[in-house]
Amino acid sequence: MRFGVRQFELALMHRMRDLNPPRVEQALADLDASRAELRAAHAHWTRLAHAPRAPKGRAALRMALGPPAYAGEAPFGSLTCDVARWRLPSWPELEFEALTGPGGEVWNLWFVRPGGDRRLSAADLTPWGCVVADVAASFPVSFQGEGAAPHHWAVDFACEGTPRRALFVYGLLQRLA
């Protein structure tokens, strides 16, 4: 079985299911995909990640997604990192970004908004509607931290004077805690 864009999206959704099962179920229906297909995509991606001869890091993403829509460099502290971004059909307003360090190792994988962050109001804080950078730009007193599992983030912030916590998977909002 070839592992392509659809399977990659399903593998991402498998992890998103940790925090937002109803949204993933809706996406599966939209894609006419089953839970079994979701599990199979996740298992296949995991096997590829651990297979000795399979491509790793950015090469694995390129194998699944094709050439990136954007490739460039970005400063990260005192280092310059490579950035690659892909457009995925399930998230047309966003791009999936891989940040790789000087040795080619992937340091970060997450969704970003091309062209910059979007200013949000409280009403805009909807699942799959914003990314970590949107919340950070919209609510200046915000604190990012690791989530409870791989590829999870938590952002604590105040919205209209009320302390809030946003939970993200791959940088995409899943729910407010």
Side-chain angles (χ1 to χ4, degrees), residues 7-72:
Q7 292 76 24
F8 184 77
E9 286 185 343
L10 291 171
L12 294 178
M13 289 179 201
H14 186 273
R15 177 61 66 194
M16 292 175 188
R17 193 177 61 172
D18 296 344
L19 294 178
N20 196 343
R23 183 64 185 93
V24 171
E25 289 296 324
Q26 178 184 341
L28 290 176
D30 293 345
L31 290 170
D32 194 28
S34 66
R35 288 185 198 155
E37 189 179 356
L38 177 90
R39 287 188 301 274
H42 170 71
H44 190 162
W45 186 248
T46 301
R47 280 192 308 276
L48 286 172
H50 297 288
R53 290 190 290 270
K56 302 292 180 235
R58 190 165 157 179
L61 292 167
R62 188 178 173 95
M63 174 207 65
L65 305 175
Y70 169 83

Side-chain angles (χ1 to χ4, degrees), residues 70-167:
Y70 169 83
E73 295 181 335
F76 189 77
S78 63
L79 299 173
T80 299
C81 299
D82 291 323
V83 176
R85 295 184 191 131
W86 290 266
R87 293 185 185 101
L88 299 175
S90 292
W91 299 278
E93 295 179 12
L94 305 172
E95 292 180 343
F96 191 75
E97 179 181 87
L99 179 69
T100 55
E105 184 177 339
V106 174
W107 285 359
N108 194 32
L109 296 170
W110 68 353
F111 284 95
V112 297
R113 185 171 305 285
D117 314 322
R118 191 176 108 206
R119 297 287 178 189
L120 305 173
S121 68
D124 296 322
L125 295 170
T126 58
W128 293 19
C130 61
V131 297
V132 169
D134 293 337
V135 174
S138 302
F139 306 99
V141 181
S142 62
F143 303 94
Q144 297 181 36
E146 293 184 16
H151 305 292
H152 286 214
W153 281 266
V155 178
D156 294 313
F157 63 100
C159 179
E160 299 172 354
T162 303
R164 304 298 303 258
R165 172 169 270 204
L167 301 176

